[in-house]
Amino acid sequence: MNTKSTFCGSNDHRLNRRGFLGLSAAAGVSAFADMTGLDALSNSALAGELKKDQKRVIMLWLAGGSSQLETFDPKPGAPTGGPFRSIQTAVPGVHISELMPKLAARMQHTCIIRSLNTKNGDHGGAAKLMMRGRRDEAVVKYPDLGAVMAKEMGRADSKVPDYVTFYTQTEGRMAGDSGFLGSRYAPMELTTNNQPPDIRKLDGISELDHVQRADLRELMSKQFSQGRPNKVLGSHNEAYQRVRGLMASEKLFDVSQESAKTRDLYGRSQFGEQALIARRLAEAGVPFIRVARAWWDSHGQNFETHQEMVPELDHVMAALIDDLKDRGLLENTMIVTLAEFGRTPGINSSLGRDHFASAWSCSITGGGIKGGVAYGKTDANGNKVVEGEADAAKLYATIYSALGINPHKNYYLGSRPVPLVEPGTEAIKELVA
Amino acid sequence: MPPTTPAPAKGTLKAAKPIPVSQQLCGIEYSPKGDMLVAGTFEGGIRRWKVTPAELTDLPPLAGHNAWVQCVAFDSKGERFFSADSWGRVNAWSADPVQTKPLWSVADAHSTWIHAMAIHPKAEFLATAGRDNIIRLTDPATGKEIRRWEAGDDVLAMTFHPSGLSLITGDLHGLIKEWDHSTGKLKRELNAKQMFLHDRLQDVGGVRCFAWNADASMLFAGGCQPKSGGFVQGFNLVIGFDWVSGQAKMNHKTTNEADGYVLDMHWNPDGFLMAVTSGQPGQGKLIFLKPGEAQPFQSYPVPNAHSLAIHPDGKRLFVSATNANSSGNGRQLGKDKEYPANTSPLHGFEFVG
Amino acid sequence: MRPNRLVLLLATILPSFTVAADLLPPDRPIESVIDHYIDARLATSKSKAVDQADDYTLIRRLTLDLVGRIPTPAESKAFVESKDAKKREQLVDRLMASGAFVRHQANQFDAMISGPSSRTSGIRDYLVKALGSNKSWDVIFRELLVPNDDDAATKGSGEYLKTRITDLDRVTNDVSVTFFGVNVSCAQCHDHPLVQDWKQDHFFGMKSFFARSFDNGGFLAERDDATVKFKPTKGPEKTAKMMFLTGKTFNPPARKEQTKEEEIKERQKFEQAKKDKKSPPPPSFSARAKLVEIALQTEEAVFFSKAISNRLWHRFLGYGLVMPLDQMHSENPASHPELLQWLGRDMANHQYDLRRMIRGIVLSKTYSRSSKWTGDIPPAPGVFAVAQLKPLTPMQLAASMRVAVADPATFEGKPEDVEKRLESIENSARGFAGNIAAPTDDFQIGVSEALLFSNSDRVEKEFLNDGGDRLIGKLKTIKDPTQAVELMISSTLCRPATPDEKKLLTEYLQRRTDRSADAQRQILWSLLSGAEFRFNY
């Protein structure tokens, strides 16, 4: 079987093409058969099943900036502590907010970093920083974690997307960004509902015609490609080769494929359903899925907001941990719960908390991260980091290390080497399993 | 809300220089005798001041709470007062300034944040409610639980009818419920749903305070009409219900979405409501409002006011506010290289002439 | 003997040691100088240049590069059929004289100055005016760095600094990258680890020119004083000198110590301007203006002139003489150092005339080579033996699709009417262009574009509808399938169909006689989404 002459390798497809080339196939073949090795890349990657150690990341993005004091770094009794209590977790000595009882019971799987000092307290800039671990330069636009994962863990011929992002609310919406890695690694963005855009065939064209016009496109494009070896051209053809596979992945986005029990486990909220889809995608081999939940920007009524939103987060995190664990996926799937920054310990006049990037927290679970650890420390009122300070680069070095990606590896922008994380930054060793 | 009706206010209102308080305060309350002002803090404490017409003198603070002490209330005789915190504890205290130990203390009156408290006019019951959706009726003398029942929602405001015949709660979703507190049965519901909004996947708003007019023929509910969640924006909203019919007879809504909540209010026997509004940072007011009139007839800026205490002589009042520059992204380090703490200055007012 | 052999060897592998005196004379036409240097290098290498592109390819390439769209069938036909020896010059001059040239170059310069995904329009609006009135590159540089908000003629130019000035590190590096081809950002924290040329002194020296500038309520303002201090990797904190990339320093006029009152007065001056929503009073001495002045001085202008030459070269040839574009320094020499030097000198000698340089580049034989390599392993792009594929920009793609799906008859008639129609097509393409990713360094096309083309009803509605002025509408009137195929190919691919294509596509139609309109749409779709359409080749 010559897989080179078909784009998806399926027998149906081969028949379809013969169908339209029909008896005069010989003529077509003489002109078009000798295709260049453009899909060599796909062929080499076709070989393996999902590698056992292929890591995936589900990022829960708390857009707007959740409060560390009402989640991972409570300060009960301090003037800045707010109204809530802290509770003992499954790990002796580690306490988190009373708003997260379910995570507390699963603390042995999770690590908390309480010592982020990331300096940027502006939504846009901080979100870019925390999604990339780096600050853009004039000519170097860094890829975000999703794009890096798509590049590191995605496969050229994959029938599922490499990078999916849900951002249904409009507040603070930030598109995924593959930076200098280019649109090959750009995400599939879901902003209006849980169905990806343009994944379903229009009604006006039959299944067969849809396939065959794509064959026609490919045939002529390959003819053009002869004698024109070019990376961008290769990516163009490859993108079209992936269309049918991606269309087949539509049902991954359909939660009704899951049992009522599983759906209840995640909860029927939008956030819960998107987290469930994220699990479905991770299971199918999608390397990176981000589920954004907005809008945590509680300048007013911080405590009511967190009283409402943290239990939902708690529930979704617990559901993901349990479900991934039950399916044996937790070891290779990392849940990153992260925002662009935390919130001021000081409680403002509207009983809110404002942007604060000097001493805040995030959490990482699974996928090569050591569970049951609370790393770093802030002072009694939560104003400053007093132990284990980590900036965005250090956080990313840790994430990459845990995922088995060398944080010091270089990408090449033309001839320019671009290290994955800020040079001189080391991972937090205590957190890498 | 003071259980006694203050004497009519006459004359014009003069503002005194705000008194600095080194902590952030929650509710403030005058004793019925007018000789003491008490306030719950953000730090599990209660601040007390001896009050004379000339000045406030600090009394020793009271310890025995945790986190936010949002509710403080005196009984009508002024011998005791009660306090409730965000960890679910209710305490009773002597009004004698020398006493610093609670008369009784119930640590787990609620499993979590107590948002609202009301004392029965004849001091037969103390009612509390909060995030656990439970209404608890307590014996004010002993702290013993008399009854508890499901409120059906997060109760944010509470009052007894001045007749003492029923308990009224206001909740997050803008429902006002009248309860027969002798049975825990719901008698009827009044609609203040304008005070609620589901926005950005969040519940915003809720009924925040109550006041009765002099003959208890009208119940006023205060809150806001929310415009957006997240960074909460909303218009001041006060709805006045005819108590017998349950019909809304008055609907005072401001036009500025930055006005925020009406967080506390009292009826003035001269026939108007005195209320404080939260506002966006730096805003907030003390307003005087006549039922039936569209706009307040008097308004004084008090940044981010959250509680109002009226002296029984009706001539003096205090508004607790928040210090300027308490808001701000990132915060600036102070001269001592530390982040400055927030405070709640007390703004005193007096009717003169 | 040994030392001599070493010298000889060095001389062959490092041809960049040519001095200015050895350059070709300044009065030779640009195109012939380009071909001279490129061919000279080719002669010493193993590679042989491919043939010149055919006329169909050449007019497509020139039309896309100069006016941002594919040619109409009538334009292609006229060019190919013309026997005029000067037809290429005539085409170039006609295209460059059109309004579309200004608009397309404004798009290109905007992407270069603002970044490919910029969402603001001010700079583009300014560039349309500036390029339309033939402003030279040094004038545009000055108007971007020393904008005058009160001058309607340069409105929009201020946006460049306004969107950057709150981040002085960024503005310092952006200006260095865009206008001088130099990336000094690494020298921010330490002397550049890889490049001896760039020290911390350079970064902070450049930053000092901007340190006095700030945002004053939405208006760009400049103080009379401000210093940049930095902590070198070794030794105590330093105050940076205003220093250009060549190492030339400048001492700003000393300012007498200000009294408290004077300080307050100055602050009030800016506060008042902010209140009045007016541009603040100018400083007595502008450090930014000084930077512009220094950068254009004969000795220093080598950065400015080489950077723009390299960028224009990259725009039209698809690969720079120096790559990456912001790495112009001694350790990353140009592939053709003399050529770059000559082009830079020509730019400076002719007052940075962009049109002159563009015209010279596109008239060279180097520019008009075929993009198809017939041998085994293609040569490195830096020898320019074969033309590079250039992915279309979002606007080029969208406008070209619009042209391709129009009934060719709508482009016949008076030239000014056709011009107007093409302009309206260009405007209507803007919306769709927003869905397409802009090419960047190491660009790759993503699957979202393939999905958009494959399944979006937007493509269906905008490009495959059968309105009266559309190709699909016209095809309805054509009975012969082969004739239909010929029309579709010539409209979209700007060339005649090959016999194989005619055979293949005719058969595709014949097998779908029950749904022939659908089949035509499917063929048109496969042409529009195909690789040949997607690139300027």
Side-chain angles (χ1 to χ4, degrees):
Chain A
M1 168 172 146
N2 175 14
T3 48
K4 232 187 216 178
S5 63
T6 69
F7 79 83
C8 76
S10 84
N11 280 329
D12 291 353
H13 188 143
R14 285 152 67 88
L15 289 175
N16 288 342
R17 173 176 288 176
R18 289 218 182 103
F20 96 76
L21 291 175
L23 290 175
S24 70
V29 168
S30 73
F32 294 102
D34 183 28
M35 298 304 158
T36 53
L38 268 176
D39 49 0
L41 190 56
S42 344
N43 282 342
S44 67
L46 249 167
E49 289 300 305
L50 268 187
K51 272 184 285 169
K52 263 214 174 115
D53 60 348
Q54 196 209 338
K55 296 287 208 308
R56 282 141 266 185
V57 172
I58 296 175
M59 177 183 272
L60 303 178
W61 180 256
L62 310 181
S66 53
S67 166
Q68 68 282 7
L69 294 121
E70 277 68 57
T71 51
F72 304 123
D73 193 13
K75 299 286 174 188
T80 53
F84 302 114
R85 271 180 281 203
S86 67
I87 48 173
Q88 171 68 52
T89 66
V91 176
V94 177
H95 292 76
I96 59 175
S97 170
E98 64 167 315
L99 300 174
M100 306 195 87
K102 294 171 185 167
L103 183 67
R106 292 159 180 82
M107 193 63 210
Q108 68 274 21
H109 300 297
T110 295
C111 94
I112 293 171
I113 301 173
R114 287 176 169 154
S115 48
L116 294 173
N117 180 1
T118 54
K119 307 216 161 62
N120 193 332
D122 156 67
H123 285 297
K128 281 190 100 169
L129 174 69
M130 295 317 295
M131 284 184 183
R132 288 160 183 71
R134 300 205 70 159
R135 207 176 114 208
D136 278 345
E137 291 162 24
V139 284
V140 185
K141 306 275 178 249
Y142 287 98
D144 60 22
L145 179 59
V148 172
M149 284 297 288
K151 182 171 167 67
E152 294 295 324
M153 307 285 173
R155 298 180 313 157
D157 68 326
S158 178
K159 302 215 167 31
V160 294
D162 298 322
Y163 175 4
V164 175
T165 151
F166 292 90
Y167 206 135
T168 313
Q169 288 100 62
T170 51
E171 292 79 15
R173 186 183 288 167
M174 177 155 289
D177 186 357
S178 49
F180 64 73
L181 292 180
S183 45
R184 165 65 184 82
Y185 299 106
M188 183 178 263
E189 305 255 3
L190 291 89
T191 51
T192 45
N193 53 39
N194 294 345
Q195 256 330 289
D198 304 328
I199 202 168
R200 191 177 292 167
K201 180 182 75 60
L202 291 175
D203 292 338
I205 182 166
S206 73
E207 194 66 39
L208 189 66
D209 282 351
H210 192 274
V211 170
Q212 292 189 340
R213 78 172 185 185
D215 283 350
L216 195 58
R217 195 212 79 85
E218 194 191 10
L219 210 55
M220 288 190 294
S221 295
K222 285 194 169 172
Q223 175 68 13
F224 171 77
S225 306
Q226 278 184 298
R228 294 188 172 98
N230 177 288
K231 241 170 90 183
V232 195
L233 180 59
S235 72
H236 187 239
N237 285 331
E238 221 167 63
Y240 279 91
Q241 281 165 4
R242 290 184 60 199
V243 164
R244 296 291 305 178
L246 288 172
M247 288 172 69
S249 75
E250 185 187 351
K251 60 180 179 302
L252 290 175
F253 293 86
D254 178 6
V255 282
S256 71
Q257 307 274 328
E258 293 282 336
S259 71
K261 199 179 145 209
T262 307
R263 292 182 67 183
D264 290 340
L265 174 71
Y266 282 83
R268 305 283 174 129
S269 68
Q270 186 185 63
F271 189 39
E273 297 209 324
Q274 290 174 345
L276 174 53
I277 296 170
R279 193 272 290 151
R280 288 173 61 79
L281 293 167
E283 195 172 32
V286 177
F288 185 92
I289 309 103
R290 177 172 46 235
V291 181
R293 170 67 163 100
W295 182 233
W296 292 79
D297 195 21
S298 49
H299 291 282
Q301 286 193 35
N302 173 73
F303 305 96
E304 276 118 332
T305 301
H306 280 74
Q307 171 184 306
E308 192 181 345
M309 292 172 72
V310 179
E312 184 195 35
L313 171 68
D314 184 48
H315 183 87
V316 165
M317 283 181 76
L320 270 175
I321 292 170
D322 290 353
D323 198 14
L324 289 169
K325 194 156 116 310
D326 287 352
R327 288 163 194 267
L329 292 169
L330 191 57
E331 209 176 302
N332 285 324
T333 308
M334 179 186 279
I335 309 166
V336 179
T337 305
L338 185 65
E340 60 261 50
F341 40 60
R343 306 211 73 87
T344 46
I347 296 163
N348 73 23
S349 51
S350 305
L351 298 190
R353 297 189 192 267
D354 302 307
H355 307 172
F356 193 64
S358 308
W360 61 291
S361 315
C362 69
S363 119
I364 312 176
T365 309
I369 275 282
K370 206 174 276 174
V373 185
Y375 178 84
K377 227 173 130 178
T378 52
D379 67 10
N381 285 344
N383 280 324
K384 281 177 181 169
V385 173
V386 292
E387 202 179 292
E389 181 164 303
D391 58 9
K394 204 167 184 60
L395 173 66
Y396 269 69
T398 308
I399 290 174
Y400 288 135
S401 296
L403 293 167
I405 300 170
N406 175 6
H408 305 302
K409 82 181 281 181
N410 282 323
Y411 283 162
Y412 285 87
L413 230 182
S415 54
R416 178 212 314 265
V418 183
L420 211 47
V421 301
E422 201 77 51
T425 311
E426 293 304 329
I428 304 170
K429 294 206 170 48
E430 295 91 317
L431 300 184
V432 180
Chain B
M1 250 152 292
T4 51
T5 306
K10 291 270 186 319
T12 53
L13 200 65
K14 277 244 165 105
K17 199 168 169 229
I19 299 162
V21 178
S22 62
Q23 286 168 304
Q24 262 179 300
L25 303 178
C26 303
I28 56 169
E29 198 73 43
Y30 262 112
S31 66
K33 292 171 190 152
D35 56 352
M36 196 198 282
L37 188 70
V38 301
T41 74
F42 272 13
E43 295 166 59
I46 293 172
R47 297 288 298 266
R48 302 179 300 165
W49 293 270
K50 189 170 182 284
V51 184
T52 65
E55 57 181 6
L56 286 187
T57 320
D58 252 311
L59 292 168
L62 302 175
H65 272 297
N66 290 298
W68 287 15
V69 186
Q70 230 175 344
C71 313
V72 281
F74 280 87
D75 69 11
S76 50
K77 292 182 197 146
E79 285 163 5
R80 288 171 301 183
F81 71 93
F82 307 92
S83 54
D85 71 29
S86 63
W87 290 14
R89 182 187 289 270
V90 179
N91 283 345
W93 310 89
S94 165
D96 176 356
V98 189
Q99 302 294 328
T100 55
K101 290 237 158 47
L103 299 170
W104 51 258
S105 178
V106 182
D108 54 355
H110 290 266
S111 62
T112 173
W113 192 351
I114 303 174
H115 286 306
M117 180 163 77
I119 178 96
H120 188 268
K122 291 178 190 143
E124 287 168 12
F125 309 104
L126 177 70
T128 47
R131 192 165 91 80
D132 59 2
N133 293 2
I134 294 291
I135 298 170
R136 184 189 202 259
L137 225 53
T138 302
D139 175 356
T142 63
K144 292 231 159 54
E145 182 174 308
I146 296 167
R147 192 167 295 113
R148 67 162 57 215
W149 68 93
E150 290 276 341
D153 198 0
D154 193 346
V155 171
L156 301 175
M158 213 177 210
T159 182
F160 279 97
H161 188 271
S163 68
L165 292 175
S166 55
L167 175 68
I168 291 92
T169 59
D171 65 32
L172 175 63
H173 290 84
L175 269 186
I176 296 170
K177 294 175 180 168
E178 184 186 6
W179 304 90
D180 175 355
H181 51 272
S182 63
T183 60
K185 289 248 154 53
L186 181 66
K187 287 165 125 176
R188 63 170 168 165
E189 287 182 351
L190 307 182
N191 179 350
K193 286 184 183 165
Q194 269 170 280
M195 293 189 181
F196 171 75
L197 180 72
H198 183 76
D199 184 51
R200 308 181 186 194
L201 300 185
Q202 284 175 55
D203 293 339
V204 195
V207 178
R208 298 294 170 133
C209 58
F210 287 124
W212 298 94
N213 68 353
D215 62 1
S217 61
M218 273 191 98
L219 172 72
F220 302 99
C224 84
Q225 181 171 327
K227 191 161 172 272
S228 70
F231 197 156
V232 181
Q233 299 262 26
F235 309 98
N236 288 167
L237 180 60
V238 177
I239 304 175
F241 295 92
D242 176 76
W243 185 242
V244 175
S245 69
Q247 298 290 314
K249 294 282 183 201
M250 163 192 152
N251 192 324
H252 163 75
K253 190 185 130 189
T254 54
T255 51
N256 183 353
E257 66 196 40
D259 284 343
Y261 292 93
V262 171
L263 284 181
D264 200 358
M265 58 186 177
H266 296 263
W267 179 257
N268 187 301
D270 281 352
F272 60 91
L273 275 169
M274 300 184 282
V276 291
T277 72
S278 64
Q280 293 291 311
Q283 305 198 38
K285 288 176 207 130
L286 166 67
I287 54 172
F288 294 167
L289 190 64
K290 272 205 182 98
E293 288 180 8
Q295 291 306 315
F297 64 92
Q298 297 224 51
S299 168
Y300 303 87
V302 186
N304 310 109
H306 47 263
S307 187
L308 169 65
I310 317 266
H311 191 273
D313 69 10
K315 288 206 160 70
R316 284 175 285 162
L317 50 101
F318 273 107
V319 178
S320 79
T322 314
N323 60 305
N325 308 320
S326 76
S327 302
N329 293 334
R331 302 303 298 271
Q332 296 297 311
L333 292 175
K335 278 201 180 119
D336 54 358
K337 301 273 180 199
E338 292 294 331
Y339 290 97
N342 292 337
T343 64
S344 288
L346 288 172
H347 293 251
F349 292 89
E350 194 172 355
F351 288 100
V352 247
Chain C
M1 283 306 281
R2 256 183 139 187
N4 281 346
R5 266 170 60 190
L6 188 67
V7 168
L8 206 70
L9 187 70
L10 272 176
T12 39
I13 62 168
L14 291 175
S16 57
F17 284 125
T18 336
V19 288
D22 296 342
L23 291 180
L24 290 179
D27 55 355
R28 254 178 86 162
I30 297 172
E31 55 273 27
S32 98
V33 172
I34 289 173
D35 293 332
H36 169 87
Y37 283 120
I38 298 290
D39 291 348
R41 173 83 194 278
L42 271 169
T44 66
S45 80
K46 283 184 196 143
S47 309
K48 201 173 153 283
V50 298
D51 291 341
Q52 291 285 295
D54 62 37
D55 277 353
Y56 288 111
T57 305
L58 184 58
I59 182 177
R60 184 177 184 271
R61 188 181 296 170
L62 281 167
T63 311
L64 277 165
D65 271 341
L66 295 174
V67 297
R69 59 165 174 87
I70 56 169
T72 67
E75 284 175 316
S76 292
K77 187 166 179 281
F79 181 72
V80 173
E81 285 174 1
S82 167
K83 300 275 180 267
D84 195 322
K86 291 261 174 219
K87 69 178 181 179
R88 178 164 167 190
E89 284 86 340
Q90 285 161 4
L91 172 67
V92 167
D93 290 337
R94 174 174 74 77
L95 292 173
M96 288 183 68
S98 73
F101 173 78
V102 169
R103 293 191 299 274
H104 177 59
Q105 298 309 318
N107 288 343
Q108 298 285 65
F109 276 106
D110 186 31
M112 169 184 141
I113 292 167
S114 314
S117 41
S118 160
R119 291 271 174 268
T120 52
S121 63
I123 294 178
R124 186 186 176 272
D125 294 345
Y126 160 73
L127 286 168
V128 168
K129 277 181 292 183
L131 296 168
S133 56
N134 265 328
K135 275 187 182 161
S136 59
W137 185 235
D138 57 333
V139 171
I140 292 174
F141 170 55
R142 185 176 297 115
E143 288 177 350
L144 288 168
L145 284 205
V146 195
N148 178 359
D149 277 327
D150 302 330
D151 182 3
T154 60
K155 194 170 179 295
S157 67
E159 216 170 77
Y160 179 69
L161 284 179
K162 266 184 237 165
T163 51
R164 286 168 173 75
I165 204 66
T166 51
D167 186 344
L168 285 181
D169 292 342
R170 181 174 169 217
V171 78
T172 304
N173 203 45
D174 278 6
V175 168
S176 304
V177 165
T178 304
F179 298 100
F180 307 125
V182 163
N183 189 325
V184 287
S185 60
C186 282
Q188 201 170 324
C189 316
H190 42 74
D191 292 346
H192 201 297
L194 303 172
V195 184
Q196 291 300 316
D197 299 4
W198 310 131
K199 309 285 185 210
Q200 277 184 300
D201 292 330
H202 289 101
F203 179 82
F204 291 100
M206 287 295 282
K207 186 173 169 177
S208 299
F209 288 108
F210 298 101
R212 300 163 175 230
S213 302
F214 63 101
D215 174 88
N216 195 52
F219 289 90
L220 190 66
E222 192 168 357
R223 296 186 190 88
D224 274 321
D225 214 349
T227 47
V228 172
K229 291 200 164 108
F230 69 102
K231 184 103 181 62
T233 37
K234 277 181 211 146
E237 190 176 66
K238 279 170 91 170
T239 300
K241 274 188 176 169
M242 288 186 188
M243 183 195 275
F244 188 63
L245 298 163
T246 50
K248 185 175 180 101
T249 56
F250 175 77
N251 287 321
R255 203 169 174 221
K256 72 173 175 70
E257 191 92 348
Q258 281 201 295
T259 62
K260 263 238 149 70
E261 269 173 20
E262 284 171 320
E263 269 176 32
I264 292 169
K265 221 171 159 187
E266 171 150 329
R267 219 173 305 137
Q268 280 170 343
K269 193 171 70 174
F270 288 116
E271 284 306 315
Q272 192 56 47
K274 207 191 275 186
K275 250 186 231 159
D276 299 344
K277 296 194 182 353
K278 279 189 179 146
S279 43
S284 54
F285 157 80
S286 165
R288 271 184 285 118
K290 194 72 202 174
L291 171 64
V292 172
E293 185 191 317
I294 293 175
L296 296 173
Q297 285 167 2
T298 318
E299 295 289 309
E300 277 63 38
V302 58
F303 278 100
F304 184 73
S305 58
K306 277 189 182 176
I308 184 62
S309 305
N310 192 43
R311 281 189 178 273
L312 289 176
W313 180 272
H314 175 265
R315 183 181 301 169
F316 293 97
L317 276 301
Y319 198 82
L321 291 166
V322 179
M323 285 299 276
L325 298 177
D326 64 339
Q327 298 292 315
M328 302 184 81
H329 52 75
S330 59
E331 279 153 71
N332 184 35
S335 57
H336 300 74
E338 312 86 341
L339 173 57
L340 184 58
Q341 217 172 335
W342 192 97
L343 294 174
R345 185 181 72 184
D346 188 74
M347 269 313 246
N349 286 350
H350 292 88
Q351 286 78 47
Y352 301 98
D353 182 347
L354 296 168
R355 277 176 186 266
R356 179 187 146 84
M357 181 58 64
I358 291 172
R359 188 175 186 278
I361 292 173
V362 301
L363 287 179
S364 70
K365 289 201 169 62
T366 305
Y367 171 82
S368 51
R369 294 198 214 290
S370 163
S371 63
K372 191 159 173 163
W373 184 253
T374 43
D376 290 342
I377 299 165
V383 299
F384 303 100
V386 57
Q388 293 297 306
L389 297 193
K390 291 172 284 191
L392 302 189
T393 64
M395 269 307 284
Q396 279 175 327
L397 179 62
S400 297
M401 286 171 74
R402 284 272 179 180
V403 171
V405 301
D407 178 351
T410 60
F411 297 123
E412 281 155 21
K414 279 192 283 181
E416 55 272 27
D417 292 345
V418 173
E419 195 62 32
K420 257 188 209 145
R421 169 140 170 83
L422 285 166
E423 187 175 351
S424 86
I425 278 182
E426 193 183 307
N427 289 334
S428 64
R430 211 162 278 282
F432 187 77
N435 294 309
I436 304 295
T440 50
D441 283 353
D442 273 23
F443 180 61
Q444 292 201 44
I445 292 163
V447 75
S448 60
E449 181 178 313
L451 283 170
L452 175 82
F453 272 78
S454 299
N455 295 326
S456 163
D457 66 342
R458 185 149 189 190
V459 170
E460 210 69 29
K461 282 182 186 148
E462 281 193 36
F463 302 104
L464 303 177
N465 79 52
D466 59 359
D469 57 349
R470 295 304 182 98
L471 183 62
I472 291 284
K474 169 87 174 177
L475 287 167
K476 278 186 182 165
T477 64
I478 297 174
K479 292 276 173 299
D480 174 34
T482 306
Q483 215 183 321
V485 166
E486 281 168 347
L487 182 61
M488 283 193 276
I489 295 261
S490 65
S491 293
T492 52
L493 304 184
C494 315
R495 59 167 175 82
T498 66
D500 282 336
E501 284 167 344
K502 271 191 246 180
K503 187 158 191 165
L504 183 75
L505 299 178
T506 302
E507 191 176 316
Y508 191 97
L509 289 178
Q510 281 166 344
R511 291 184 152 265
R512 288 165 178 74
T513 44
D514 59 328
R515 51 187 193 286
S516 51
D518 287 346
Q520 287 171 347
R521 250 194 284 274
Q522 287 157 20
I523 290 179
L524 188 57
W525 177 88
S526 70
L527 293 169
L528 292 175
S529 62
E532 184 169 347
F533 196 85
R534 187 64 180 80
F535 291 85
N536 188 0
Y537 57 89

